[in-house]
Amino acid sequence: DAGITQSPRHKVTETGTPVTLRCHQTENHRYMYWYRQDPGHGLRLIHYSYGVKDTDKGEVSDGYSVSRSKTEDFLLTLESATSSQTSVYFCAISDSAISYEQYFGPGTRLTVT
Amino acid sequence: GEDVEQSLFLSVREGDSSVINCTYTDSSSTYLYWYKQEPGAGLQLLTYIFSNMDMKQDQRLTVLLNKKDKHLSLRIADTQTGDSAIYFCAESSGTYKYIFGTGTRLKVLA
Protein backbone atom coordinates (compact mmCIF):
# COMPACT_ATOMS: atom_id res chain seq x y z
CA ASP A 1 0.00 0.00 0.00
CA ALA A 2 1.09 3.54 -0.72
CA GLY A 3 2.34 5.30 2.40
CA ILE A 4 -0.45 7.79 3.01
CA THR A 5 -1.77 8.77 6.42
CA GLN A 6 -4.51 11.20 7.35
CA SER A 7 -5.07 12.91 10.66
CA PRO A 8 -7.27 13.07 12.52
CA ARG A 9 -9.28 10.03 11.45
CA HIS A 10 -12.42 11.30 13.15
CA LYS A 11 -13.39 14.78 14.27
CA VAL A 12 -16.50 16.43 15.63
CA THR A 13 -16.54 20.20 15.62
CA GLU A 14 -19.01 23.03 16.01
CA THR A 15 -20.31 25.32 13.30
CA GLY A 16 -18.10 28.35 12.83
CA THR A 17 -14.88 26.82 14.14
CA PRO A 18 -11.76 26.41 11.99
CA VAL A 19 -10.63 22.88 11.19
CA THR A 20 -7.43 21.60 9.59
CA LEU A 21 -7.02 18.12 8.18
CA ARG A 22 -3.58 16.75 7.41
CA CYS A 23 -2.42 14.37 4.73
CA HIS A 24 1.08 12.94 4.95
CA GLN A 25 2.82 10.78 2.34
CA THR A 26 6.10 8.91 2.36
CA GLU A 27 6.15 8.15 -1.39
CA ASN A 28 7.62 11.45 -2.59
CA HIS A 29 4.77 11.76 -5.11
CA ARG A 30 4.37 15.08 -6.85
CA TYR A 31 0.58 15.31 -6.97
CA MET A 32 -1.71 15.39 -3.95
CA TYR A 33 -5.49 15.74 -3.82
CA TRP A 34 -8.30 16.36 -1.38
CA TYR A 35 -11.71 14.83 -2.11
CA ARG A 36 -14.92 14.70 -0.20
CA GLN A 37 -17.27 11.72 -0.33
CA ASP A 38 -21.00 12.15 0.15
CA PRO A 39 -23.86 9.72 -0.51
CA GLY A 40 -25.14 10.04 -4.06
CA HIS A 41 -22.17 12.12 -5.19
CA GLY A 42 -19.27 9.74 -5.30
CA LEU A 43 -15.99 11.56 -4.79
CA ARG A 44 -15.65 15.23 -5.64
CA LEU A 45 -12.35 17.06 -5.94
CA ILE A 46 -11.87 19.96 -3.53
CA HIS A 47 -8.29 21.08 -4.25
CA TYR A 48 -5.16 19.55 -5.61
CA SER A 49 -1.45 20.28 -5.60
CA TYR A 50 1.06 19.73 -8.38
CA GLY A 51 4.11 20.63 -6.33
CA VAL A 52 5.31 22.47 -3.25
CA LYS A 53 3.38 25.73 -2.97
CA ASP A 54 1.52 24.93 -6.23
CA THR A 55 -2.20 24.33 -5.74
CA ASP A 56 -5.39 24.67 -7.73
CA LYS A 57 -9.13 24.48 -7.16
CA GLY A 58 -11.34 21.51 -7.83
CA GLU A 59 -15.09 21.41 -8.43
CA VAL A 60 -16.18 22.02 -4.80
CA SER A 61 -13.54 24.40 -3.44
CA ASP A 62 -15.77 27.04 -1.84
CA GLY A 63 -15.20 27.22 1.93
CA TYR A 64 -11.89 25.32 1.75
CA SER A 65 -8.26 26.34 1.49
CA VAL A 66 -5.11 24.25 1.18
CA SER A 67 -1.41 24.58 1.73
CA ARG A 68 1.59 22.54 0.77
CA SER A 69 4.89 23.71 2.23
CA LYS A 70 6.63 20.32 1.93
CA THR A 71 6.36 17.53 -0.61
CA GLU A 72 5.05 15.12 2.01
CA ASP A 73 2.31 17.24 3.60
CA PHE A 74 -0.93 18.63 2.19
CA LEU A 75 -3.23 20.49 4.57
CA LEU A 76 -6.93 21.15 4.07
CA THR A 77 -8.47 23.97 6.12
CA LEU A 78 -12.10 24.78 6.69
CA GLU A 79 -11.90 28.40 7.78
CA SER A 80 -15.35 28.40 9.39
CA ALA A 81 -16.95 24.98 9.36
CA THR A 82 -20.59 24.60 8.31
CA SER A 83 -22.94 21.64 8.61
CA SER A 84 -22.79 21.17 4.82
CA GLN A 85 -19.12 20.29 5.23
CA THR A 86 -19.98 17.20 7.25
CA SER A 87 -18.44 14.50 5.08
CA VAL A 88 -15.70 11.94 4.71
CA TYR A 89 -12.52 13.51 3.37
CA PHE A 90 -9.96 11.56 1.40
CA CYS A 91 -6.46 12.47 0.43
CA ALA A 92 -4.89 10.91 -2.65
CA ILE A 93 -1.45 10.97 -4.24
CA SER A 94 -0.22 10.40 -7.76
CA ASP A 95 3.03 10.46 -9.63
CA SER A 96 2.64 8.35 -12.72
CA ALA A 97 3.10 10.25 -15.98
CA ILE A 98 1.91 7.16 -17.82
CA SER A 99 -1.40 6.07 -16.41
CA TYR A 100 -2.12 8.78 -13.80
CA GLU A 101 -3.30 6.31 -11.17
CA GLN A 102 -4.15 7.77 -7.78
CA TYR A 103 -3.67 6.13 -4.40
CA PHE A 104 -5.91 6.99 -1.48
CA GLY A 105 -5.50 7.50 2.22
CA PRO A 106 -7.84 5.96 4.82
CA GLY A 107 -10.08 9.01 5.12
CA THR A 108 -11.16 11.47 7.83
CA ARG A 109 -14.76 11.50 9.00
CA LEU A 110 -15.71 15.07 9.90
CA THR A 111 -18.96 15.96 11.64
CA VAL A 112 -19.95 19.61 12.02
CA THR A 113 -22.68 20.13 14.60
CA GLY B 1 -19.66 19.02 -18.04
CA GLU B 2 -18.21 15.56 -17.95
CA ASP B 3 -20.20 12.92 -16.12
CA VAL B 4 -19.74 9.30 -15.08
CA GLU B 5 -22.78 7.20 -14.19
CA GLN B 6 -23.17 3.88 -12.43
CA SER B 7 -26.10 1.89 -11.12
CA LEU B 8 -26.36 2.09 -7.34
CA PHE B 9 -26.77 -1.55 -6.30
CA LEU B 10 -25.96 -5.05 -7.48
CA SER B 11 -26.66 -8.30 -5.65
CA VAL B 12 -25.17 -11.65 -6.71
CA ARG B 13 -24.81 -15.11 -5.25
CA GLU B 14 -21.43 -16.39 -4.13
CA GLY B 15 -19.67 -18.20 -6.96
CA ASP B 16 -21.56 -16.35 -9.69
CA SER B 17 -20.03 -13.66 -11.91
CA SER B 18 -20.68 -9.99 -11.17
CA VAL B 19 -20.83 -7.34 -13.86
CA ILE B 20 -20.66 -3.70 -12.81
CA ASN B 21 -21.38 -1.14 -15.49
CA CYS B 22 -20.33 2.46 -16.01
CA THR B 23 -21.06 5.05 -18.69
CA TYR B 24 -19.14 8.26 -19.25
CA THR B 25 -19.64 11.31 -21.40
CA ASP B 26 -16.14 12.67 -21.99
CA SER B 27 -15.06 11.56 -25.44
CA SER B 28 -11.48 12.60 -24.69
CA SER B 29 -11.18 10.09 -21.82
CA THR B 30 -7.75 8.52 -21.99
CA TYR B 31 -7.73 6.24 -18.95
CA LEU B 32 -10.58 4.56 -17.14
CA TYR B 33 -10.19 3.11 -13.67
CA TRP B 34 -11.94 0.79 -11.27
CA TYR B 35 -11.61 1.29 -7.53
CA LYS B 36 -12.93 -0.78 -4.63
CA GLN B 37 -13.96 0.68 -1.29
CA GLU B 38 -14.55 -1.56 1.70
CA PRO B 39 -16.49 -0.24 4.72
CA GLY B 40 -14.60 2.41 6.64
CA ALA B 41 -11.64 2.35 4.26
CA GLY B 42 -10.18 4.39 1.47
CA LEU B 43 -10.34 3.53 -2.21
CA GLN B 44 -8.14 0.75 -3.53
CA LEU B 45 -7.13 0.80 -7.18
CA LEU B 46 -8.18 -2.50 -8.79
CA THR B 47 -7.27 -1.96 -12.40
CA TYR B 48 -7.30 0.54 -15.23
CA ILE B 49 -7.58 0.46 -19.00
CA PHE B 50 -6.19 2.74 -21.66
CA SER B 51 -8.72 4.05 -24.15
CA ASN B 52 -7.12 2.29 -27.13
CA MET B 53 -7.78 -1.10 -25.52
CA ASP B 54 -11.01 -3.11 -25.70
CA MET B 55 -10.34 -5.53 -22.89
CA LYS B 56 -8.01 -6.10 -20.00
CA GLN B 57 -7.89 -9.20 -17.81
CA ASP B 58 -6.26 -9.48 -14.41
CA GLN B 59 -6.90 -12.74 -12.55
CA ARG B 60 -10.63 -12.76 -11.68
CA LEU B 61 -11.18 -9.26 -13.08
CA THR B 62 -12.07 -8.49 -16.69
CA VAL B 63 -12.54 -4.93 -17.90
CA LEU B 64 -14.40 -4.30 -21.14
CA LEU B 65 -14.41 -0.94 -22.87
CA ASN B 66 -16.80 0.06 -25.64
CA LYS B 67 -15.45 3.43 -26.66
CA LYS B 68 -18.14 4.02 -29.27
CA ASP B 69 -20.88 3.76 -26.65
CA LYS B 70 -18.70 5.21 -23.87
CA HIS B 71 -19.44 2.13 -21.77
CA LEU B 72 -17.09 0.44 -19.31
CA SER B 73 -17.73 -2.75 -17.39
CA LEU B 74 -15.98 -4.71 -14.67
CA ARG B 75 -16.60 -8.43 -14.50
CA ILE B 76 -15.65 -10.31 -11.34
CA ALA B 77 -15.50 -14.07 -11.86
CA ASP B 78 -16.36 -16.49 -9.05
CA THR B 79 -17.56 -13.69 -6.78
CA GLN B 80 -16.74 -14.18 -3.10
CA THR B 81 -18.20 -12.60 0.05
CA GLY B 82 -14.96 -10.64 0.37
CA ASP B 83 -15.85 -8.88 -2.87
CA SER B 84 -18.75 -7.14 -1.14
CA ALA B 85 -17.87 -3.44 -1.35
CA ILE B 86 -18.58 -0.25 -3.26
CA TYR B 87 -17.00 -0.13 -6.71
CA PHE B 88 -16.20 3.20 -8.36
CA CYS B 89 -15.31 3.85 -11.93
CA ALA B 90 -13.37 6.99 -12.80
CA GLU B 91 -12.09 8.57 -15.96
CA SER B 92 -9.18 10.82 -16.79
CA SER B 93 -8.62 12.71 -20.01
CA GLY B 94 -4.89 12.30 -19.79
CA THR B 95 -4.38 14.58 -16.83
CA TYR B 96 -4.18 14.05 -13.12
CA LYS B 97 -7.79 15.12 -12.58
CA TYR B 98 -10.35 12.36 -12.28
CA ILE B 99 -14.13 12.30 -12.66
CA PHE B 100 -15.65 9.64 -10.41
CA GLY B 101 -18.94 7.82 -10.72
CA THR B 102 -21.29 7.62 -7.76
CA GLY B 103 -20.30 4.04 -6.98
CA THR B 104 -22.07 0.65 -7.19
CA ARG B 105 -22.65 -1.23 -3.96
CA LEU B 106 -22.05 -4.93 -4.57
CA LYS B 107 -23.63 -7.36 -2.13
CA VAL B 108 -22.59 -11.00 -2.34
CA LEU B 109 -25.07 -13.48 -0.92
CA ALA B 110 -23.72 -16.68 0.62
Side-chain angles (χ1 to χ4, degrees):
Chain A
D1 290 345
I4 312 168
T5 56
Q6 293 184 232
S7 58
R9 293 293 315 280
H10 301 271
K11 186 169 182 66
V12 180
T13 192
E14 292 185 350
T15 298
T17 59
V19 177
T20 296
L21 308 183
R22 180 181 183 235
C23 177
H24 179 77
Q25 60 143 330
T26 58
E27 305 295 320
N28 201 35
H29 281 10
R30 178 182 175 189
Y31 290 78
M32 297 185 76
Y33 309 79
W34 278 108
Y35 291 90
R36 59 178 290 173
Q37 182 179 26
D38 304 290
H41 289 280
L43 276 81
R44 293 180 291 175
L45 182 65
I46 305 171
H47 282 279
Y48 68 101
S49 170
Y50 47 95
V52 173
K53 292 187 173 26
D54 292 322
T55 65
D56 203 353
K57 296 179 180 180
E59 62 178 307
V60 290
S61 60
D62 287 349
Y64 302 95
S65 63
V66 290
S67 66
R68 191 170 179 199
S69 59
K70 298 185 289 185
T71 298
E72 58 265 35
D73 289 325
F74 193 32
L75 304 181
L76 177 70
T77 297
L78 291 66
E79 301 290 347
S80 178
T82 67
S83 58
S84 66
Q85 293 176 313
T86 292
S87 187
V88 181
Y89 292 86
F90 287 100
C91 173
I93 64 174
S94 179
D95 206 39
S96 170
I98 300 173
S99 56
Y100 308 99
E101 63 262 33
Q102 296 185 13
Y103 298 95
F104 284 78
T108 293
R109 181 172 295 275
L110 176 68
T111 303
V112 183
T113 62
Chain B
E2 297 90 355
D3 195 18
V4 177
E5 293 190 354
Q6 300 178 239
S7 54
L8 291 180
F9 299 101
L10 176 65
S11 179
V12 300
R13 295 209 173 274
E14 190 174 22
D16 288 350
S17 292
S18 308
V19 179
I20 303 170
N21 295 301
C22 172
T23 58
Y24 59 98
T25 59
D26 186 0
S27 58
S28 64
S29 293
T30 304
Y31 285 94
L32 296 123
Y33 310 83
W34 283 105
Y35 283 84
K36 175 183 180 183
Q37 184 181 32
E38 297 184 11
L43 277 70
Q44 173 194 355
L45 178 65
L46 290 177
T47 187
Y48 61 88
I49 189 167
F50 187 49
S51 59
N52 68 354
M53 299 168 64
D54 298 325
M55 184 181 83
K56 181 178 181 181
Q57 189 153 359
D58 184 359
Q59 299 183 344
R60 290 191 299 124
L61 305 179
T62 302
V63 178
L64 295 178
L65 175 61
N66 181 328
K67 195 172 181 181
K68 173 177 170 291
D69 294 336
K70 299 189 182 68
H71 182 266
L72 181 74
S73 67
L74 174 69
R75 178 177 179 269
I76 306 172
D78 187 25
T79 311
Q80 303 298 307
T81 54
D83 294 323
S84 291
I86 302 175
Y87 291 81
F88 290 93
C89 72
E91 65 93 8
S92 166
S93 55
T95 71
Y96 290 87
K97 293 174 70 174
Y98 281 18
I99 305 290
F100 279 89
T102 52
T104 298
R105 185 180 297 273
L106 174 65
K107 183 175 181 179
V108 181
L109 305 172

